Each structure stands twice: as structure tokens, then as C-alpha cells.
Amino acid sequence: MTMQDTFSLSLCRLATGVAVAMVALSLSACAGQQGRKELTTGSIPKLTRPAQSMNATELAAAAERIGKAYERNPKDREAGLNYANLLRMTGRNEQALAVMQQVAIYHPADREVLGAYGKAQAAAGQLEQALATISRAQTPDRPDWKLKSAEGAILDQLGRSAEARLRYREALDLKPNEPSVFSNLGMSYLLSKDLRTAETYLKSAASQPDAGSSVRQNLALAVGLQGRFQEAEAIARQELTAEQAEANVAYLRSMLSQQGAWKQLAKADEAKAD
């Protein structure tokens, strides 16, 4: 997980946005990076290049092409999953949920489908329903770390941070050193205004060799919220095209300037240390 087109106008809305971003990714990244994972292959038109490298116009075009393939055969599991994913990537959460509802009808016992359905529900604000769907997708004999992490992100958005962190640690037991889970754990502490602990986990996430751009964008946020703006911008620019870097930095600056929210968080963090 935005981890991204999400965090807030005030301190309260900042925290809410962080949680939404985490769910969408399972969960978190800055502008233009939310949820851009590779699409599955199958009977759908192939992408000309990876979705995570596309701009908004290209993503919209890909969604239109794959959407037509899905409409021709709504029972096609891969087409449905990919179309819903692209819809979420372009901010059309309600449409993504409608697609996943249909896919889940045709594939009610498919764990990947149930997991995607739960994430679509969470992105559309149906948190309790999402939690139930994710839990249904999980099986005791074959626990899935991705589902554990997604469940944690939903619990964080519901304000149940202790339960959320337990799920993240269970996910790490199943998949040690997984950067996305470390990132979600760090963002969980950011939600509770413990910026130093958040930064520690996010640095652990970013240090993993397979850490993605979204992990570094979350680290940039945690650093920036502590007032270290130059360091945050340097992190936000790493491993991105010039266009993506400028978009992320502009987003980071805008977010950190919103009603002095970073100052309130930094003061709260300093008070904890005293």
C-alpha cells in the first residue's frame, strides 16, 4: 500500500488520508504512484509498457481498452481484476467496486478475487464490509501475508491501531523483511503521530533491495512532517522520471503546507521525547 493522491487538509484529515492510502495499496505512495502494480496476463489486451510508468492519460487509455475486453466477457476473471485495478489507479473507486462485485459473483471462492474485492470495498469507504471480505479470503491453513497486511491497513483506517500492528507483524512472520509491510507499519505509527518510530520502520522498508518507489515516498512524508524539507524532497525524487519526481515533490510540498499540519505533528513528537 499511499500511500498518492490522498493525505489531508488539516491534522485530522491528514491522518484519514494516510489510512486511505494504506488501504488502496496495502497500500501507500505519493502523487501518481498509488496501486500501480503489474497487471495479470490472460485474455486481455497487453499493455505497451508497465502500468506504474504510465501517466494519467495513458492509464485512462489502458482502462478503456481493458474495460472493453471485460464488457465482452464479464466472466473473465483476469479481465475483471485488471480492469478494477486500473479503475482504482485512476481514482474511479465506485466503478472499481462495481466491477469487483460482479467478478466476486462469478468467482465466490477465489482468494485473489476476494482480496481484490475487499480492497475495492475499502477504497470506496466500505471498511467493515472490506474487513469481512478480507477475513473470508484468509484461511488458517494457508495464511497469506498480503491479506494480513491489507487487513491491517483497514484496521488502521478504523482506528484500531493495536490490532492493525499485530496483523502487520503476522504478515512479517510469513514474509520477513517485506518492504510494503514495513511501510504500512511505519504509516500506522505516523497515524498515531509517532513520527520518529514511523521514520524508523519506513527506513527499514526503504533499505530492502526490492523496495518500491511508494515506500520511499512514504519515508519522504515522514521526514518532511518533521520539518526536514530538503531531505524529504531528495528522497521523493529518487528513482523516478523527471516528470514523476516533480509531481511527487509538488504534492509533498502542498501536503506539508496544509494548515501547518506538519508543525502540529512535529510538536506532538517532540513532546513524547521530553
PDB file of all heavy atoms in Angstrom, residues 1-7 13-28 34 88 93 119 122-125 127 153 156-157 191:
ATOM      1  N   MET A   1       1.635  -0.562   0.000  1.00  0.00           N
ATOM      2  CA  MET A   1       0.000   0.000   0.000  1.00  0.00           C
ATOM      3  C   MET A   1       0.878   0.301   0.000  1.00  0.00           C
ATOM      4  O   MET A   1       2.469  -0.474   1.381  1.00  0.00           O
ATOM      5  CB  MET A   1       0.361  -0.522   0.987  1.00  0.00           C
ATOM      6  CG  MET A   1       0.384  -0.265   1.323  1.00  0.00           C
ATOM      7  SD  MET A   1      -0.136  -1.095   0.515  1.00  0.00           S
ATOM      8  CE  MET A   1       0.305  -1.223   1.513  1.00  0.00           C
ATOM      9  N   THR A   2      -0.296   5.343   0.059  1.00  0.00           N
ATOM     10  CA  THR A   2      -0.208   5.641  -0.488  1.00  0.00           C
ATOM     11  C   THR A   2       0.367   6.065  -0.106  1.00  0.00           C
ATOM     12  O   THR A   2       1.041   5.406  -0.226  1.00  0.00           O
ATOM     13  CB  THR A   2      -0.672   4.935  -0.457  1.00  0.00           C
ATOM     14  OG1 THR A   2      -0.840   5.211  -0.235  1.00  0.00           O
ATOM     15  CG2 THR A   2      -0.675   5.419  -1.996  1.00  0.00           C
ATOM     16  N   MET A   3      -0.626   5.595   0.393  1.00  0.00           N
ATOM     17  CA  MET A   3       0.322   5.725   0.476  1.00  0.00           C
ATOM     18  C   MET A   3       0.677   6.413  -0.692  1.00  0.00           C
ATOM     19  O   MET A   3       1.275   6.669  -0.727  1.00  0.00           O
ATOM     20  CB  MET A   3       1.190   4.895   0.786  1.00  0.00           C
ATOM     21  CG  MET A   3       1.252   4.053   1.934  1.00  0.00           C
ATOM     22  SD  MET A   3       2.174   2.960   2.274  1.00  0.00           S
ATOM     23  CE  MET A   3       2.403   2.402   3.401  1.00  0.00           C
ATOM     24  N   GLN A   4      -0.280  10.186  -2.565  1.00  0.00           N
ATOM     25  CA  GLN A   4      -0.847   9.357  -3.576  1.00  0.00           C
ATOM     26  C   GLN A   4      -2.206   9.876  -3.770  1.00  0.00           C
ATOM     27  O   GLN A   4      -3.102   9.193  -3.867  1.00  0.00           O
ATOM     28  CB  GLN A   4      -1.039   8.120  -3.374  1.00  0.00           C
ATOM     29  CG  GLN A   4      -1.086   6.895  -2.986  1.00  0.00           C
ATOM     30  CD  GLN A   4      -1.234   6.087  -2.085  1.00  0.00           C
ATOM     31  OE1 GLN A   4      -2.096   5.774  -2.030  1.00  0.00           O
ATOM     32  NE2 GLN A   4      -0.402   5.707  -1.406  1.00  0.00           N
ATOM     33  N   ASP A   5      -1.938  10.818  -3.776  1.00  0.00           N
ATOM     34  CA  ASP A   5      -3.206  11.339  -4.130  1.00  0.00           C
ATOM     35  C   ASP A   5      -4.122  11.229  -2.931  1.00  0.00           C
ATOM     36  O   ASP A   5      -5.272  10.969  -3.081  1.00  0.00           O
ATOM     37  CB  ASP A   5      -3.804  10.576  -5.280  1.00  0.00           C
ATOM     38  CG  ASP A   5      -2.798  10.221  -6.306  1.00  0.00           C
ATOM     39  OD1 ASP A   5      -2.035  11.060  -6.696  1.00  0.00           O
ATOM     40  OD2 ASP A   5      -2.780   9.108  -6.741  1.00  0.00           O
ATOM     41  N   THR A   6      -3.677  11.376  -1.703  1.00  0.00           N
ATOM     42  CA  THR A   6      -4.556  11.108  -0.553  1.00  0.00           C
ATOM     43  C   THR A   6      -4.428  11.962   0.676  1.00  0.00           C
ATOM     44  O   THR A   6      -5.362  12.148   1.286  1.00  0.00           O
ATOM     45  CB  THR A   6      -4.398   9.718  -0.046  1.00  0.00           C
ATOM     46  OG1 THR A   6      -3.079   9.503   0.153  1.00  0.00           O
ATOM     47  CG2 THR A   6      -4.973   8.744  -0.962  1.00  0.00           C
ATOM     48  N   PHE A   7      -3.445  12.209   1.381  1.00  0.00           N
ATOM     49  CA  PHE A   7      -3.449  12.741   2.723  1.00  0.00           C
ATOM     50  C   PHE A   7      -4.191  14.076   2.762  1.00  0.00           C
ATOM     51  O   PHE A   7      -4.577  14.544   1.796  1.00  0.00           O
ATOM     52  CB  PHE A   7      -2.022  12.852   3.194  1.00  0.00           C
ATOM     53  CG  PHE A   7      -1.301  11.581   3.059  1.00  0.00           C
ATOM     54  CD1 PHE A   7      -0.538  11.337   1.948  1.00  0.00           C
ATOM     55  CD2 PHE A   7      -1.398  10.604   4.002  1.00  0.00           C
ATOM     56  CE1 PHE A   7       0.131  10.161   1.805  1.00  0.00           C
ATOM     57  CE2 PHE A   7      -0.733   9.432   3.835  1.00  0.00           C
ATOM     58  CZ  PHE A   7       0.016   9.231   2.748  1.00  0.00           C
ATOM     59  N   ARG A  13      -7.677  15.413   8.890  1.00  0.00           N
ATOM     60  CA  ARG A  13      -7.849  14.914   7.532  1.00  0.00           C
ATOM     61  C   ARG A  13      -6.550  14.318   7.013  1.00  0.00           C
ATOM     62  O   ARG A  13      -6.554  13.410   6.188  1.00  0.00           O
ATOM     63  CB  ARG A  13      -8.342  16.034   6.624  1.00  0.00           C
ATOM     64  CG  ARG A  13      -9.759  16.439   6.930  1.00  0.00           C
ATOM     65  CD  ARG A  13     -10.187  17.625   6.123  1.00  0.00           C
ATOM     66  NE  ARG A  13     -10.294  17.284   4.705  1.00  0.00           N
ATOM     67  CZ  ARG A  13     -10.482  18.195   3.767  1.00  0.00           C
ATOM     68  NH1 ARG A  13     -10.571  19.478   4.078  1.00  0.00           N
ATOM     69  NH2 ARG A  13     -10.578  17.835   2.509  1.00  0.00           N
ATOM     70  N   LEU A  14      -5.420  14.811   7.478  1.00  0.00           N
ATOM     71  CA  LEU A  14      -4.138  14.205   7.116  1.00  0.00           C
ATOM     72  C   LEU A  14      -4.112  12.748   7.546  1.00  0.00           C
ATOM     73  O   LEU A  14      -3.788  11.852   6.778  1.00  0.00           O
ATOM     74  CB  LEU A  14      -3.001  14.970   7.778  1.00  0.00           C
ATOM     75  CG  LEU A  14      -1.605  14.369   7.610  1.00  0.00           C
ATOM     76  CD1 LEU A  14      -1.180  14.401   6.158  1.00  0.00           C
ATOM     77  CD2 LEU A  14      -0.608  15.100   8.476  1.00  0.00           C
ATOM     78  N   ALA A  15      -4.481  12.486   8.800  1.00  0.00           N
ATOM     79  CA  ALA A  15      -4.468  11.120   9.311  1.00  0.00           C
ATOM     80  C   ALA A  15      -5.428  10.228   8.536  1.00  0.00           C
ATOM     81  O   ALA A  15      -5.112   9.093   8.204  1.00  0.00           O
ATOM     82  CB  ALA A  15      -4.827  11.114  10.799  1.00  0.00           C
ATOM     83  N   THR A  16      -6.615  10.747   8.234  1.00  0.00           N
ATOM     84  CA  THR A  16      -7.579   9.965   7.466  1.00  0.00           C
ATOM     85  C   THR A  16      -7.023   9.616   6.093  1.00  0.00           C
ATOM     86  O   THR A  16      -7.143   8.493   5.621  1.00  0.00           O
ATOM     87  CB  THR A  16      -8.890  10.752   7.309  1.00  0.00           C
ATOM     88  OG1 THR A  16      -9.415  11.039   8.600  1.00  0.00           O
ATOM     89  CG2 THR A  16      -9.906   9.957   6.508  1.00  0.00           C
ATOM     90  N   GLY A  17      -6.388  10.593   5.452  1.00  0.00           N
ATOM     91  CA  GLY A  17      -5.830  10.354   4.128  1.00  0.00           C
ATOM     92  C   GLY A  17      -4.745   9.312   4.133  1.00  0.00           C
ATOM     93  O   GLY A  17      -4.641   8.497   3.217  1.00  0.00           O
ATOM     94  N   VAL A  18      -3.911   9.332   5.149  1.00  0.00           N
ATOM     95  CA  VAL A  18      -2.860   8.320   5.258  1.00  0.00           C
ATOM     96  C   VAL A  18      -3.478   6.933   5.298  1.00  0.00           C
ATOM     97  O   VAL A  18      -3.041   6.024   4.606  1.00  0.00           O
ATOM     98  CB  VAL A  18      -2.008   8.565   6.521  1.00  0.00           C
ATOM     99  CG1 VAL A  18      -1.084   7.383   6.772  1.00  0.00           C
ATOM    100  CG2 VAL A  18      -1.187   9.832   6.368  1.00  0.00           C
ATOM    101  N   ALA A  19      -4.527   6.773   6.083  1.00  0.00           N
ATOM    102  CA  ALA A  19      -5.159   5.463   6.197  1.00  0.00           C
ATOM    103  C   ALA A  19      -5.758   5.015   4.873  1.00  0.00           C
ATOM    104  O   ALA A  19      -5.647   3.860   4.483  1.00  0.00           O
ATOM    105  CB  ALA A  19      -6.242   5.503   7.278  1.00  0.00           C
ATOM    106  N   VAL A  20      -6.414   5.924   4.180  1.00  0.00           N
ATOM    107  CA  VAL A  20      -7.000   5.591   2.883  1.00  0.00           C
ATOM    108  C   VAL A  20      -5.913   5.131   1.928  1.00  0.00           C
ATOM    109  O   VAL A  20      -6.057   4.148   1.205  1.00  0.00           O
ATOM    110  CB  VAL A  20      -7.747   6.800   2.294  1.00  0.00           C
ATOM    111  CG1 VAL A  20      -8.143   6.532   0.848  1.00  0.00           C
ATOM    112  CG2 VAL A  20      -8.984   7.106   3.120  1.00  0.00           C
ATOM    113  N   ALA A  21      -4.777   5.849   1.928  1.00  0.00           N
ATOM    114  CA  ALA A  21      -3.691   5.483   1.034  1.00  0.00           C
ATOM    115  C   ALA A  21      -3.155   4.109   1.351  1.00  0.00           C
ATOM    116  O   ALA A  21      -2.836   3.332   0.456  1.00  0.00           O
ATOM    117  CB  ALA A  21      -2.580   6.505   1.153  1.00  0.00           C
ATOM    118  N   MET A  22      -3.025   3.788   2.617  1.00  0.00           N
ATOM    119  CA  MET A  22      -2.518   2.487   3.011  1.00  0.00           C
ATOM    120  C   MET A  22      -3.425   1.375   2.495  1.00  0.00           C
ATOM    121  O   MET A  22      -2.967   0.356   1.997  1.00  0.00           O
ATOM    122  CB  MET A  22      -2.426   2.404   4.537  1.00  0.00           C
ATOM    123  CG  MET A  22      -1.318   3.248   5.118  1.00  0.00           C
ATOM    124  SD  MET A  22      -1.460   3.384   6.888  1.00  0.00           S
ATOM    125  CE  MET A  22      -1.302   1.684   7.384  1.00  0.00           C
ATOM    126  N   VAL A  23      -4.743   1.573   2.634  1.00  0.00           N
ATOM    127  CA  VAL A  23      -5.669   0.550   2.164  1.00  0.00           C
ATOM    128  C   VAL A  23      -5.565   0.372   0.662  1.00  0.00           C
ATOM    129  O   VAL A  23      -5.487  -0.740   0.151  1.00  0.00           O
ATOM    130  CB  VAL A  23      -7.115   0.918   2.552  1.00  0.00           C
ATOM    131  CG1 VAL A  23      -8.101  -0.016   1.891  1.00  0.00           C
ATOM    132  CG2 VAL A  23      -7.277   0.864   4.063  1.00  0.00           C
ATOM    133  N   ALA A  24      -5.554   1.460  -0.049  1.00  0.00           N
ATOM    134  CA  ALA A  24      -5.539   1.363  -1.504  1.00  0.00           C
ATOM    135  C   ALA A  24      -4.341   0.588  -1.995  1.00  0.00           C
ATOM    136  O   ALA A  24      -4.403  -0.100  -2.997  1.00  0.00           O
ATOM    137  CB  ALA A  24      -5.547   2.757  -2.105  1.00  0.00           C
ATOM    138  N   LEU A  25      -3.232   0.651  -1.316  1.00  0.00           N
ATOM    139  CA  LEU A  25      -2.039  -0.076  -1.715  1.00  0.00           C
ATOM    140  C   LEU A  25      -1.861  -1.377  -1.047  1.00  0.00           C
ATOM    141  O   LEU A  25      -1.110  -2.171  -1.547  1.00  0.00           O
ATOM    142  CB  LEU A  25      -0.805   0.700  -1.285  1.00  0.00           C
ATOM    143  CG  LEU A  25      -0.526   1.889  -2.111  1.00  0.00           C
ATOM    144  CD1 LEU A  25       0.585   2.691  -1.542  1.00  0.00           C
ATOM    145  CD2 LEU A  25      -0.216   1.380  -3.424  1.00  0.00           C
ATOM    146  N   SER A  26      -2.463  -1.343   0.044  1.00  0.00           N
ATOM    147  CA  SER A  26      -1.996  -2.211   1.097  1.00  0.00           C
ATOM    148  C   SER A  26      -0.566  -1.881   1.166  1.00  0.00           C
ATOM    149  O   SER A  26       0.305  -2.390   1.238  1.00  0.00           O
ATOM    150  CB  SER A  26      -2.273  -3.641   0.801  1.00  0.00           C
ATOM    151  OG  SER A  26      -2.087  -4.396   1.958  1.00  0.00           O
ATOM    152  N   LEU A  27      -0.293  -0.482  -0.034  1.00  0.00           N
ATOM    153  CA  LEU A  27      -1.252   0.417   0.239  1.00  0.00           C
ATOM    154  C   LEU A  27      -0.558   1.606   0.041  1.00  0.00           C
ATOM    155  O   LEU A  27      -0.665   2.099   0.278  1.00  0.00           O
ATOM    156  CB  LEU A  27      -1.861   0.056   1.301  1.00  0.00           C
ATOM    157  CG  LEU A  27      -2.470  -1.224   1.425  1.00  0.00           C
ATOM    158  CD1 LEU A  27      -2.830  -1.271   2.698  1.00  0.00           C
ATOM    159  CD2 LEU A  27      -2.757  -2.313   0.887  1.00  0.00           C
ATOM    160  N   SER A  28       0.497   2.271   0.304  1.00  0.00           N
ATOM    161  CA  SER A  28       0.774   3.656   0.357  1.00  0.00           C
ATOM    162  C   SER A  28       1.784   4.152  -0.717  1.00  0.00           C
ATOM    163  O   SER A  28       2.654   3.443  -1.018  1.00  0.00           O
ATOM    164  CB  SER A  28       1.358   3.990   1.656  1.00  0.00           C
ATOM    165  OG  SER A  28       0.727   3.607   2.745  1.00  0.00           O
ATOM    166  N   GLN A  34      -0.082   5.524  -6.754  1.00  0.00           N
ATOM    167  CA  GLN A  34      -0.949   4.658  -5.976  1.00  0.00           C
ATOM    168  C   GLN A  34      -1.369   3.412  -6.732  1.00  0.00           C
ATOM    169  O   GLN A  34      -1.948   3.454  -7.783  1.00  0.00           O
ATOM    170  CB  GLN A  34      -2.199   5.437  -5.557  1.00  0.00           C
ATOM    171  CG  GLN A  34      -3.140   4.599  -4.730  1.00  0.00           C
ATOM    172  CD  GLN A  34      -4.255   5.441  -4.182  1.00  0.00           C
ATOM    173  OE1 GLN A  34      -4.278   6.635  -4.319  1.00  0.00           O
ATOM    174  NE2 GLN A  34      -5.189   4.818  -3.540  1.00  0.00           N
ATOM    175  N   ARG A  88      -9.217   1.769 -10.084  1.00  0.00           N
ATOM    176  CA  ARG A  88      -8.752   2.316  -8.803  1.00  0.00           C
ATOM    177  C   ARG A  88      -7.542   3.221  -9.005  1.00  0.00           C
ATOM    178  O   ARG A  88      -7.405   4.246  -8.363  1.00  0.00           O
ATOM    179  CB  ARG A  88      -8.390   1.177  -7.834  1.00  0.00           C
ATOM    180  CG  ARG A  88      -9.597   0.498  -7.228  1.00  0.00           C
ATOM    181  CD  ARG A  88      -9.250  -0.273  -5.979  1.00  0.00           C
ATOM    182  NE  ARG A  88      -8.302  -1.345  -6.203  1.00  0.00           N
ATOM    183  CZ  ARG A  88      -7.138  -1.463  -5.578  1.00  0.00           C
ATOM    184  NH1 ARG A  88      -6.756  -0.570  -4.696  1.00  0.00           N
ATOM    185  NH2 ARG A  88      -6.338  -2.482  -5.832  1.00  0.00           N
ATOM    186  N   ASN A  93     -13.078   4.752  -7.814  1.00  0.00           N
ATOM    187  CA  ASN A  93     -13.241   3.701  -6.817  1.00  0.00           C
ATOM    188  C   ASN A  93     -14.619   3.055  -6.848  1.00  0.00           C
ATOM    189  O   ASN A  93     -14.749   1.837  -6.633  1.00  0.00           O
ATOM    190  CB  ASN A  93     -12.955   4.256  -5.424  1.00  0.00           C
ATOM    191  CG  ASN A  93     -11.498   4.619  -5.238  1.00  0.00           C
ATOM    192  OD1 ASN A  93     -10.618   4.003  -5.829  1.00  0.00           O
ATOM    193  ND2 ASN A  93     -11.230   5.626  -4.433  1.00  0.00           N
ATOM    194  N   LYS A 119     -10.246  -4.923  -1.061  1.00  0.00           N
ATOM    195  CA  LYS A 119      -9.515  -3.665  -1.253  1.00  0.00           C
ATOM    196  C   LYS A 119     -10.385  -2.635  -1.976  1.00  0.00           C
ATOM    197  O   LYS A 119     -10.330  -1.437  -1.676  1.00  0.00           O
ATOM    198  CB  LYS A 119      -8.232  -3.928  -2.028  1.00  0.00           C
ATOM    199  CG  LYS A 119      -7.190  -4.695  -1.217  1.00  0.00           C
ATOM    200  CD  LYS A 119      -5.924  -4.950  -2.026  1.00  0.00           C
ATOM    201  CE  LYS A 119      -4.935  -5.789  -1.245  1.00  0.00           C
ATOM    202  NZ  LYS A 119      -3.689  -6.047  -2.019  1.00  0.00           N
ATOM    203  N   ALA A 122     -12.734  -1.220   0.542  1.00  0.00           N
ATOM    204  CA  ALA A 122     -12.045  -0.278   1.420  1.00  0.00           C
ATOM    205  C   ALA A 122     -11.804   1.052   0.720  1.00  0.00           C
ATOM    206  O   ALA A 122     -12.010   2.125   1.295  1.00  0.00           O
ATOM    207  CB  ALA A 122     -10.718  -0.873   1.896  1.00  0.00           C
ATOM    208  N   ALA A 123     -11.376   0.996  -0.539  1.00  0.00           N
ATOM    209  CA  ALA A 123     -11.113   2.220  -1.293  1.00  0.00           C
ATOM    210  C   ALA A 123     -12.390   3.033  -1.479  1.00  0.00           C
ATOM    211  O   ALA A 123     -12.342   4.266  -1.572  1.00  0.00           O
ATOM    212  CB  ALA A 123     -10.507   1.885  -2.652  1.00  0.00           C
ATOM    213  N   ALA A 124     -13.547   2.353  -1.515  1.00  0.00           N
ATOM    214  CA  ALA A 124     -14.828   3.034  -1.669  1.00  0.00           C
ATOM    215  C   ALA A 124     -15.439   3.430  -0.326  1.00  0.00           C
ATOM    216  O   ALA A 124     -16.553   3.937  -0.281  1.00  0.00           O
ATOM    217  CB  ALA A 124     -15.800   2.140  -2.437  1.00  0.00           C
ATOM    218  N   GLY A 125     -14.701   3.193   0.774  1.00  0.00           N
ATOM    219  CA  GLY A 125     -15.166   3.619   2.091  1.00  0.00           C
ATOM    220  C   GLY A 125     -15.988   2.597   2.842  1.00  0.00           C
ATOM    221  O   GLY A 125     -16.473   2.883   3.942  1.00  0.00           O
ATOM    222  N   LEU A 127     -15.563   0.083   4.952  1.00  0.00           N
ATOM    223  CA  LEU A 127     -14.473  -0.519   5.713  1.00  0.00           C
ATOM    224  C   LEU A 127     -14.874  -1.798   6.437  1.00  0.00           C
ATOM    225  O   LEU A 127     -14.132  -2.788   6.418  1.00  0.00           O
ATOM    226  CB  LEU A 127     -13.923   0.504   6.712  1.00  0.00           C
ATOM    227  CG  LEU A 127     -13.331   1.767   6.091  1.00  0.00           C
ATOM    228  CD1 LEU A 127     -12.845   2.707   7.181  1.00  0.00           C
ATOM    229  CD2 LEU A 127     -12.200   1.432   5.139  1.00  0.00           C
ATOM    230  N   ALA A 153      -4.191  -2.632   7.233  1.00  0.00           N
ATOM    231  CA  ALA A 153      -4.445  -1.288   6.713  1.00  0.00           C
ATOM    232  C   ALA A 153      -5.886  -0.858   6.944  1.00  0.00           C
ATOM    233  O   ALA A 153      -6.158   0.304   7.264  1.00  0.00           O
ATOM    234  CB  ALA A 153      -4.113  -1.246   5.221  1.00  0.00           C
ATOM    235  N   ASP A 156      -6.282  -0.044  10.598  1.00  0.00           N
ATOM    236  CA  ASP A 156      -5.721   1.272  10.877  1.00  0.00           C
ATOM    237  C   ASP A 156      -6.710   2.367  10.523  1.00  0.00           C
ATOM    238  O   ASP A 156      -6.871   3.346  11.259  1.00  0.00           O
ATOM    239  CB  ASP A 156      -4.413   1.477  10.096  1.00  0.00           C
ATOM    240  CG  ASP A 156      -3.185   1.326  10.981  1.00  0.00           C
ATOM    241  OD1 ASP A 156      -3.256   1.705  12.168  1.00  0.00           O
ATOM    242  OD2 ASP A 156      -2.163   0.845  10.490  1.00  0.00           O
ATOM    243  N   GLN A 157      -7.375   2.215   9.394  1.00  0.00           N
ATOM    244  CA  GLN A 157      -8.330   3.241   8.985  1.00  0.00           C
ATOM    245  C   GLN A 157      -9.534   3.277   9.917  1.00  0.00           C
ATOM    246  O   GLN A 157     -10.171   4.319  10.083  1.00  0.00           O
ATOM    247  CB  GLN A 157      -8.770   3.025   7.538  1.00  0.00           C
ATOM    248  CG  GLN A 157      -9.478   4.247   6.968  1.00  0.00           C
ATOM    249  CD  GLN A 157      -9.752   4.134   5.487  1.00  0.00           C
ATOM    250  OE1 GLN A 157      -9.284   3.182   4.854  1.00  0.00           O
ATOM    251  NE2 GLN A 157     -10.478   5.069   4.941  1.00  0.00           N
ATOM    252  N   LEU A 191       0.123   7.626  11.686  1.00  0.00           N
ATOM    253  CA  LEU A 191      -1.273   7.928  12.005  1.00  0.00           C
ATOM    254  C   LEU A 191      -1.454   8.294  13.468  1.00  0.00           C
ATOM    255  O   LEU A 191      -2.297   9.127  13.806  1.00  0.00           O
ATOM    256  CB  LEU A 191      -2.162   6.721  11.676  1.00  0.00           C
ATOM    257  CG  LEU A 191      -2.533   6.496  10.219  1.00  0.00           C
ATOM    258  CD1 LEU A 191      -3.281   5.178  10.080  1.00  0.00           C
ATOM    259  CD2 LEU A 191      -3.385   7.632   9.699  1.00  0.00           C
TER     260      LEU A 191
END
